[in-house]
Amino acid sequence: EGRIYFTYQCTRYVFDEQTQQYAPYEFDLGTSHRRLIQQADGLSGAEVAYRLELVGPNFIEVKVPSIPAAFVREFVSFFYLYQLIFLWAFYFYAYWQVGLVDTGVILLSATIKVVLRVQSERRLKQMAEQEETTPVKRDGEWLNVSTRDLVPGDVIEVTTGAHMSCDCVLLSGNAIMNESSLTGEPLPIRKFPVRIDDSHYNVAEAGKMSTLFAGTVVSQVQPVTKSTDSLESDRVLALVRFTGTMSDKGQLVRRILFPNPISFIFNEQMRIV
């Protein structure tokens, strides 16, 4: 539709004509339990395409450099340029023994640092770029869709063994989640569906017990076919709230990939010197 946007730090920023500013787009899915349950019928194909254009794919791409590129990135830092000056002085004044030992120590430490960094980035890539197929209700029918194409407002079926790729609200049924990858909690956490009432949904309070967080694993599910205070269904249903870097896991990955710069007083004073 000719909408203007750009992607920065794995997040899509859309131009708002009213405020004349770029910002990540957020959909208002409602804050009451009844409003969330009213969206249990899912989205249409046209609405999915519209929302996918605004928020982008539910996928965080992590680029891991090759070993040669990682060595280049390591040796162009100021520390190694500083060491190069000392090595040049050692070799120039014929201190071969000291120069060779210093060279070996620098190469060994740089190799260990590069190998550990690349291994960590590969593990982060494996965690961030998790993609699988999940049942999604669209246009009144259940389809098997890639988690990359999920958007806020989608209704998905939660199945045993599935890896959650987005933050969701449990609409129907019970689920036992393994949240150790996010919180470190070794014990499984039981999740309950939101009740059919006008209570306020707040993920920071009681709503946390009805929230399935991205990055967690579904250990077990139990559909609820007879209930007086929650939605009845032969499937365990969940409403997608946040995808990509807007999800809980996405924010964690983004903070690891793009950490905030740390400002020291020493660095501030060095500018004056």
Side-chain angles (χ1 to χ4, degrees):
E1 298 181 7
R3 188 173 285 105
I4 303 175
Y5 70 89
F6 68 90
T7 302
Y8 176 69
Q9 293 184 350
C10 303
T11 304
R12 178 170 294 189
Y13 291 80
V14 182
F15 182 72
D16 190 346
E17 296 182 354
Q18 295 181 353
T19 61
Q20 297 293 306
Q21 293 180 346
Y22 289 90
Y25 198 92
E26 294 187 19
F27 291 94
D28 183 14
L29 302 179
T31 57
S32 68
H33 292 180
R34 193 179 303 276
R35 177 72 181 99
L36 294 172
I37 293 176
Q38 288 175 351
Q39 304 173 64
D41 292 332
L43 301 174
S44 63
E47 182 65 22
V48 169
Y50 169 74
R51 298 191 179 194
L52 187 61
E53 182 182 9
L54 289 174
V55 299
N58 181 34
F59 189 79
I60 303 175
E61 183 179 3
V62 179
K63 296 182 179 179
V64 179
S66 61
I67 296 297
F71 270 104
V72 173
R73 183 180 62 180
E74 180 70 18
F75 281 110
V76 296
S77 63
F78 177 78
F79 172 77
Y80 290 101
L81 296 178
Y82 179 74
Q83 291 290 330
L84 183 62
I85 297 175
F86 281 95
L87 290 178
W88 175 84
F90 289 146
Y91 290 122
F92 182 80
Y93 291 105
Y95 290 102
W96 301 101
Q97 296 85 351
V98 178
L100 290 175
V101 171
D102 199 9
T103 302
V105 171
I106 293 174
L107 292 177
L108 179 61
S109 62
T111 302
I112 295 175
K113 188 175 181 180
V114 166
V115 171
L116 292 178
R117 177 180 293 179
V118 171
Q119 289 179 349
S120 300
E121 291 179 352
R122 287 176 178 173
R123 286 195 296 267
L124 179 62
K125 179 182 179 70
Q126 183 180 4
M127 181 186 72
E129 298 184 356
Q130 212 164 48
E131 182 181 3
E132 56 187 37
T133 302
T134 185
V136 182
K137 192 174 185 180
R138 291 178 178 173
D139 292 319
E141 298 181 358
W142 286 99
L143 306 173
N144 289 325
V145 177
S146 171
T147 53
R148 178 194 288 260
D149 299 326
L150 294 178
V151 296
D154 264 329
V155 175
I156 65 174
E157 179 186 0
V158 183
T159 57
T160 302
H163 293 77
M164 300 303 299
S165 61
C166 51
D167 290 351
C168 303
V169 182
L170 193 60
L171 300 181
S172 176
N174 302 318
I176 298 179
M177 306 298 297
N178 181 0
E179 298 183 350
S180 59
S181 60
L182 291 182
T183 63
E185 175 61 47
L187 298 178
I189 307 297
R190 186 172 183 179
K191 302 292 183 176
F192 302 93
V194 292
R195 298 180 179 273
I196 305 178
D197 53 29
D198 294 320
S199 301
H200 180 72
Y201 172 80
N202 188 350
V203 67
E205 298 177 358
K208 186 176 182 180
M209 297 305 299
S210 300
T211 304
L212 310 181
F213 295 100
T216 59
V217 182
V218 183
S219 300
Q220 185 178 348
V221 295
Q222 180 184 11
V224 175
T225 56
K226 293 183 179 181
S227 177
T228 58
D229 56 356
S230 63
L231 183 64
E232 298 177 358
S233 176
D234 57 349
R235 300 171 183 255
V236 178
L237 306 179
L239 177 69
V240 177
R241 292 186 68 240
F242 297 112
T243 61
T245 55
M246 301 300 292
S247 66
D248 211 55
K249 184 190 79 171
Q251 294 179 12
L252 174 62
V253 173
R254 187 180 181 185
R255 286 194 295 267
I256 296 175
L257 291 177
F258 313 102
N260 294 326
I262 302 176
S263 178
F264 295 99
I265 299 178
F266 178 77
N267 295 337
E268 298 295 331
Q269 294 176 347
M270 279 296 293
R271 298 179 182 178
I272 301 177
V273 177

